[in-house]
Amino acid sequence: MMSRRLLEPMAGTPLWDGQQRLFRKIRGALGERAVQYCQQLSGMLGSSGFGVSDYTRRGELLDALLLGMEERRWVQVQYGGGAADGAGTRQQLGPLGLIWHNGSLYLIAWSKKRGEVRNYKVDRVLSAEAEGGQSNQFEIPEGFSLQSWQSTAFGVYRGTGERMWEIRIRFRAGSARYVQESWWHATQRFEELPDGGVELHLRLNELSAVSKWILGFGSSAMVLAPVELQQLVRAEATAMLQDLDELSRGGE
C-alpha cells in the first residue's frame, strides 16, 4: 500500500499500470479483510511529496524508454536539458536503465553522438520514439551494469575521466548526526571527532555534484581534500557572496 502511494506521481504511466496489476493480484490472494487492514495502515503513513516530479501525463514517453530498454532499441529523443547535454536537440540514445533520485527519474543511456554512457533527467525529455526492427538495436557496452555504473557516481552524477578522488569533508557537531544517519555512497566511511563532529571519507570520480551538496550545509561543512574540490566550493561561495553584496548595494 505504501509503495502504491509513493508511485502516485507516475499514475497513468507503464510503471503505475504494472504496480496496479500487481496490487489486484495481491488483493485477490489476501482477501478483502487483509486488504482493508493494509489500507488502514497505509492511511497512517505518508510522503511529503516535496520536490517530487509529476509523470502522470508522460505515460507514452516512459513507454518508449522502457521499450528501448527491454528490446535494446535505439530511441530518438528530443532533449531540452542544459547546453552541455545538447539543449533542445534530437539525440539517438540506447536506454540502459532508470534511476529514481531526489524525487525525479533519470535515464541512464548510451549516447551514440558522444560515444559514452550519460544521464538524462526524464523531466527534460520532450519526446521519445523507439526505432523499430532488429537493425535498430544497440549493443550494451561490454561489462556495463547499472549497479557498477552507480558505484562511482554521486547520486546520478558521474565523471567521465579515469581519475578517482579521495574526498574528505569535516562536518561540525550540529550536522554530524544527520550526515551519519544517511547513506550517500558505497565508499563512505565516517571518522568521529573529539568535538562531536565527524569526518566523511568518499572515493569518487566526480567533484561538481558533491561540491553543490557540500554547499547545502553552509558553514557546517569544510572540505579537507582534495584541493580541487576546495577550489570549486570556494568559487561558488564567492559568487554567492558577490551577488548578495550587489543586492545590499541596491543592485538587481
Side-chain angles (χ1 to χ4, degrees), residues 26-174:
I26 293 173
R27 188 182 192 120
L30 292 179
E32 197 60 34
R33 186 173 180 180
V35 170
Q36 287 176 356
Y37 171 77
C38 290
Q39 288 176 332
Q40 181 182 0
L41 182 62
S42 177
M44 302 174 189
L45 302 170
S47 171
S48 70
F50 183 77
V52 175
S53 297
D54 183 2
Y55 298 105
T56 55
R57 298 182 181 179
R58 315 212 75 192
E60 290 186 10
L61 186 146
L62 283 169
D63 193 35
L65 297 179
L66 290 170
L67 184 62
M69 275 186 276
E70 292 168 1
E71 300 185 3
R72 300 204 317 275
R73 290 198 207 174
W74 288 108
V75 177
Q76 289 288 344
V77 167
Q78 190 77 17
Y79 190 71
D85 294 316
T89 60
R90 195 162 182 81
Q91 302 186 46
Q92 194 173 25
L93 304 179
L96 298 167
L98 287 168
I99 296 175
W100 181 259
H101 174 69
N102 272 359
S104 298
L105 278 172
Y106 286 80
L107 171 69
I108 309 303
W110 177 262
S111 169
K112 191 171 186 178
K113 177 182 178 180
R114 296 181 179 273
E116 63 185 15
V117 177
R118 298 178 67 85
N119 73 69
Y120 299 84
K121 192 174 184 180
V122 172
D123 305 57
R124 298 173 188 167
V125 178
L126 306 177
S127 65
E129 182 180 352
E131 299 179 4
Q134 290 186 344
S135 61
N136 290 310
Q137 288 184 318
F138 68 92
E139 292 293 328
I140 296 175
E142 185 177 356
F144 175 86
S145 74
L146 201 58
Q147 291 72 25
S148 63
W149 186 88
Q150 280 189 280
S151 67
T152 54
F154 189 69
V156 292
Y157 304 104
R158 188 176 186 272
T160 56
E162 295 295 325
R163 181 172 180 178
M164 298 298 294
W165 303 91
E166 301 293 338
I167 296 169
R168 293 168 52 219
I169 310 159
R170 180 179 296 165
F171 293 90
R172 296 184 190 274

Side-chain angles (χ1 to χ4, degrees), residues 2 5 15 36 51 93 122 232 234 244:
M2 184 61 179
R5 179 161 294 181
L15 296 173
Q36 287 176 356
L93 304 179
V122 172
L232 283 174
R234 183 182 293 111
L244 289 172

